[in-house]
Amino acid sequence: MKTRIGILTSGGDCPGLNAVLRGAALAADKLGWEMLGFRDGFEGLLPPGDFTVLDRKCTENIMALGGTLIGTTNRGHFVAKIGAGDRAVVAAEVIEKARKVLNEAHAEALIIVGGDGSMTTALQLQEAGINCVGVPKTIDNDLEATAMTFGFDSAVAAVMDALDRLHTTATSHKRAIVVEVMGRHAGWIALHGGIAGGADVILIPEIPFDFDRVADAIRAREAAGDLSSLVVVAEGARPKDGQQVKRETKEGEFRLGGIGDIVAREIAARTGKETRTCVLGHLQRGGAPTTLDRILGTRFGVKAVQLVNEGHFGSMVSYQNYQVRHVPIADAVNRLRLVPPNGEMVQTARDVEISFGD
Ligand code: F6P
């Protein structure tokens, strides 16, 4: 029987996941192995096991597609992380069920493609003796253990495209338009997307802002003859004397969102300008991956299979200095990479007259 390994995608989807699946499946095929794709994240590991063989045929033409061929979820029986740092323990009986399903499927190892929460689960499976290899994934690009994750570049491209479009309508009406983008703890999407799209104000979680300073920036632009302004605000940004804007769902989770409307309201009140809000939401997570994300995803998928082949279990693929390497999953979880408020990117933005509202 061929060596079989499993792969699953877990947490929020992002462009580039199918490039990972394709890269991993083709690299496995080259070794004469069979790749099993478990559906809907870790949930596919529950009895009787929900998986499909990812052969060469089913990887055809998937790289250009957003989303994930095998589905994903950020809830269910294996959730090991709630919020920014609260860890939960995956029930021992759930882990045992997963082990049984993997054994019965003759899967000798499991590749987990996911973010910080999914890596926290992967670590628990590894500690319970299931051979795991992690592939980091998040559009937020906020994992300390890797210099970059696929999906981020596509999200930034979506923000840039939106700003390009919003510039023309904002200019025509001499309006301020506030664009709310993703980024729970880190403002990378807002920062990169804002710079690439020519934003005038960028508000990120790492730099609490002052509504008066945001209004000052817009007034200063008016005084210089720039009658329209684009303000990019990360969903996790907050005013100096306030909290993140979130609401509790009926499942008891907290979902960020709404800061854009508040910023727009405060700008209008302070400047008298006609102001609009545009929430980009999941548009940033959908659609075809960029060139960079297709290449990075392919490299990550291939590397994950190499790590399995070399027996580097308990490790996670990591991008460092333009090379794809690996780090222990244990060192990767719960370590966020935030925007340094005094770093070069923020300074570059300030140097092109972008205000951070501080
Ligand atoms: O963590 C990635 C992310 O895209 C965040 O930026 C965003 O807050 C969240 O996922 C949205 O998750 P959901 O798809 O559950 O609404």
Side-chain angles (χ1 to χ4, degrees):
M1 189 183 199
K2 284 183 173 183
T3 297
R4 295 179 118 191
I5 57 176
I7 191 165
L8 59 84
T9 53
S10 169
D13 71 324
C14 80
L17 281 171
N18 286 325
V20 177
L21 295 177
R22 177 177 173 273
L26 294 180
D29 187 74
K30 195 173 168 197
L31 289 165
W33 295 356
E34 201 161 51
M35 180 69 79
L36 308 179
F38 285 85
R39 292 197 185 86
D40 301 333
F42 291 97
E43 296 297 288
L45 296 174
L46 291 175
D50 186 5
F51 61 87
T52 180
V53 175
L54 291 180
D55 57 13
R56 298 180 61 80
K57 188 79 194 141
C58 61
T59 62
E60 273 175 20
N61 303 326
I62 66 167
M63 189 156 58
L65 302 176
T68 162
L69 191 67
I70 51 177
T72 188
T73 180
N74 51 11
R75 43 180 49 93
H77 299 78
F78 292 81
V79 170
K81 191 139 184 240
I82 315 130
D86 309 333
R87 294 183 66 170
V89 175
V90 181
E93 77 227 38
V94 170
I95 295 183
E96 279 320 303
K97 282 179 185 169
R99 187 203 307 281
K100 196 155 172 277
V101 164
L102 286 164
N103 284 344
E104 283 169 2
H106 302 287
E108 295 180 14
L110 183 65
I111 297 173
I112 293 118
V113 191
D116 193 41
S118 308
M119 290 307 138
T120 307
T121 300
L123 188 60
Q124 294 185 30
L125 298 189
Q126 178 67 37
E127 284 165 358
I130 296 172
N131 291 333
C132 293
V133 163
V135 175
K137 169 242 58 153
T138 162
I139 65 163
D140 292 1
N141 206 25
D142 58 359
L143 301 181
E144 176 67 31
T146 182
M148 207 191 302
T149 47
F150 58 88
F152 172 65
D153 188 58
S154 303
V156 169
V159 173
M160 181 185 75
D161 179 56
L163 294 184
D164 287 350
R165 291 164 189 266
L166 292 169
H167 270 298
T168 59
T169 174
T171 309
S172 304
H173 288 269
K174 303 178 181 62
R175 284 173 174 161
I177 299 187
V178 179
V179 187
E180 184 180 303
V181 304
M182 282 184 173
R184 279 168 200 256
H185 313 294
W188 294 110
I189 295 176
L191 182 59
H192 285 236
I195 292 175
D200 306 299
V201 178
I202 299 176
L203 306 176
I204 58 176
E206 296 87 343
I207 306 179
F209 60 90
D210 185 329
F211 288 117
D212 288 330
R213 298 290 83 74
V214 175
D216 287 348
I218 289 167
R219 279 198 217 94
R221 285 180 51 73
E222 298 256 327
D226 299 312
L227 303 182
S228 67
S229 290
L230 291 190
V231 178
V232 175
V233 54
E235 62 186 351
R238 63 176 178 84
K240 275 181 181 155
D241 50 0
Q243 297 297 317
Q244 287 187 324
V245 182
K246 49 189 163 189
R247 68 189 159 78
E248 194 173 353
T249 66
K250 63 177 180 343
E251 294 88 20
E253 295 164 2
F254 286 96
R255 201 163 290 162
L256 288 170
I259 185 68
D261 266 337
I262 294 172
V263 171
R265 191 185 66 209
E266 296 299 323
I267 289 172
R270 284 167 169 76
T271 64
K273 271 197 89 60
E274 209 184 332
T275 306
R276 297 285 188 272
T277 315
C278 176
V279 180
L280 292 189
H282 292 79
L283 285 173
Q284 296 158 94
R285 287 226 311 246
T290 58
T291 320
L292 186 72
D293 286 340
R294 293 179 199 202
I295 295 171
L296 200 58
T298 301
R299 292 172 75 189
F300 278 17
V302 168
K303 180 70 175 182
V305 169
Q306 285 168 359
L307 291 175
V308 172
N309 192 27
E310 291 159 10
H312 283 297
F313 301 118
S315 63
M316 185 189 85
V317 173
S318 160
Y319 191 64
Q320 301 163 21
N321 298 322
Y322 301 98
Q323 300 290 315
V324 181
R325 301 182 184 280
H326 64 95
V327 293
I329 299 177
D331 291 355
V333 295
N334 238 346
R335 286 175 52 211
L336 285 179
R337 192 168 60 84
L338 302 179
V339 174
N342 299 313
E344 187 258 340
M345 279 295 283
V346 169
Q347 192 51 51
T348 299
R350 292 192 197 275
D351 289 343
V352 293
E353 297 180 1
I354 293 172
S355 163
F356 286 85
D358 56 340

